[in-house]
């Protein structure tokens, strides 16, 4: 609706597109994080454009994990909307990364479930562990600044490049796995091309940031077995094998 001096929304109109209830918006007013701009003569709450922006900030901060009682304090510091949008985007990107990994896991399990072997409890326990550990693992190895850096790297590379790498990486892992299991000398020229490409993809991920690179290596050193089993990633032995091949090429 429009009133003199600008556009206004009734509480129900504000609640519908957000998925919140009118009662929730009343509660937001009660705790002081969102107040109506004015009321009609009949006492109905009206929210202006500043109220809409404020509501988005509240919703985004809730999505980022802040408790409601802390949001008022944060917003009193005049949170920049553009910065908050960036943080919200980074949070969503992290969720997408976790979901892509989980999707690969579920695709493999669905195929196994249809096979003669079928699923066993260990498969399901592994799935549940991955769901629980994905976010925890990210936080355990990367600082907030590094996570933000990785999100910027992802935006710089673009979704087309990311999708291409995600399709190439499993094939490259299998190629290196085959050479490792065959006992091929890391110095063999046949290993140079996949080892060089492996290195390129890893460098594409960390973009030359030594802190991110070290965190990546530390994660694979600590959890290489779990990553290989749960996410079809490389084992620690494969990573070491590639490094020996790179060293041999440089010598």
């Amino acid at each position: 609706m429009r009133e003199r001096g600008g556009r206004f929304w009734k509480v129900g109109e504000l609640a519908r597109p957000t998925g919140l209830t009118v009662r929730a918006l009343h509660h937001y007013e009660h705790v002081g994080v969102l107040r109506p701009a004015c009321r009609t003569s009949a006492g109905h709450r009206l929210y202006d454009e500043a109220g809409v922006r404020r509501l988005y900030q509240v919703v985004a901060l809730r999505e980022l994990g802040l408790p409601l009682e802390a949001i008022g304090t944060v917003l009193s510091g005049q949170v920049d909307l553009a910065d908050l949008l960036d943080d919200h985007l980074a949070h969503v990107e992290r969720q997408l990364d976790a979901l892509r990994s989980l999707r690969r896991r579920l695709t493999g399990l669905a195929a196994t479930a249809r096979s003669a072997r079928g699923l066993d409890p260990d498969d399901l326990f592994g799935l549940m562990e991955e769901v629980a550990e994905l976010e925890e693992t990210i936080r355990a190895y990367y600082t907030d600044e590094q996570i933000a850096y990785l999100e910027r790297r992802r935006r710089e590379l673009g979704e087309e490049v990311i999708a291409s790498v995600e399709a190439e990486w499993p094939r490259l892992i299998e190629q290196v796995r085959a050479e490792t299991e065959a006992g091929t000398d890391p110095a063999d020229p046949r290993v140079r091309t996949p080892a060089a490409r492996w290195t390129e993809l890893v460098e594409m991920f960390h973009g030359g940031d030594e802190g991110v690179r070290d965190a990546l290596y530390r994660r694979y050193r600590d959890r290489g077995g779990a990553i290989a089993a749960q996410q079809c990633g490389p084992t620690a032995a494969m990573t070491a094998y590639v490094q020996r091949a790179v060293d041999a090429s440089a010598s």
Side-chain angles (χ1 to χ4, degrees), residues 214-241:
D214 292 346
L216 173 66
Y217 289 159
R218 187 168 62 254
R219 182 188 174 208
Y220 272 98
R221 185 179 64 246
D222 294 348
R223 305 190 71 256
I227 293 170
Q230 296 176 1
Q231 302 173 27
C232 301
T235 63
M238 292 167 62
T239 301
Y241 178 81

Side-chain angles (χ1 to χ4, degrees), residues 165-205:
V165 170
E166 288 178 345
E168 180 183 3
W169 187 237
R171 296 194 298 268
L172 186 60
I173 289 174
E174 286 307 310
Q175 187 176 359
V176 171
R177 189 193 310 278
E179 299 294 354
T180 304
E181 293 176 353
T184 306
D185 189 333
D188 192 304
R190 186 170 68 244
V191 185
R192 289 179 182 174
T193 298
R197 182 57 178 162
W198 181 297
T199 303
E200 287 176 1
L201 294 185
V202 171
E203 290 178 350
M204 185 183 298
F205 172 80

Side-chain angles (χ1 to χ4, degrees), residues 15-178:
R16 277 192 295 274
T18 63
L20 295 168
T21 64
V22 169
R23 183 177 179 180
L25 293 182
H26 288 174
H27 180 62
Y28 286 1
E29 180 184 358
H30 176 72
V31 298
V33 299
L34 178 71
R35 293 188 175 88
C38 58
R39 292 177 182 262
T40 67
S41 57
H44 298 300
R45 297 169 175 83
L46 294 177
Y47 299 83
D48 58 8
E49 293 182 8
V52 174
R53 289 193 293 272
R54 175 85 171 193
L55 178 58
Y56 168 75
Q57 292 173 327
V58 173
V59 171
L61 289 170
R62 289 285 283 166
E63 176 70 15
L64 291 171
L66 259 66
L68 191 59
E69 56 269 20
I71 289 176
T73 301
V74 173
L75 292 180
S76 66
Q78 298 298 313
V79 174
D80 182 81
L81 184 58
D83 289 343
L84 183 58
L85 285 165
D86 285 341
D87 290 341
H88 196 179
L89 175 61
H91 179 72
V92 170
E93 291 287 0
R94 289 194 295 273
Q95 290 178 319
L96 288 174
D97 285 341
L99 287 172
R100 289 188 185 97
S101 175
L102 185 58
R103 180 185 180 186
R104 290 192 293 270
R105 174 75 167 174
L106 289 170
T107 299
L109 287 179
T112 301
R114 294 187 179 94
S115 69
R117 180 176 80 82
L119 293 179
D120 58 37
D122 287 339
D123 294 319
L124 297 177
F125 279 126
L127 175 61
M128 288 185 285
E129 287 174 358
E130 180 173 3
V131 170
E133 289 179 1
L134 276 174
E135 185 67 19
E136 180 181 346
T137 298
I138 291 174
R139 292 293 180 184
Y141 288 92
Y142 300 101
T143 66
D144 289 342
E145 292 77 12
Q146 289 171 339
I147 290 173
Y149 168 81
L150 289 172
E151 297 304 339
R152 291 196 299 273
R153 284 285 300 159
R154 187 179 188 92
R155 291 195 293 272
E156 289 168 1
L157 292 170
E159 289 302 319
E160 185 175 344
V161 171
I162 296 297
S164 176
V165 170
E166 288 178 345
E168 180 183 3
W169 187 237
R171 296 194 298 268
L172 186 60
I173 289 174
E174 286 307 310
Q175 187 176 359
V176 171
R177 189 193 310 278

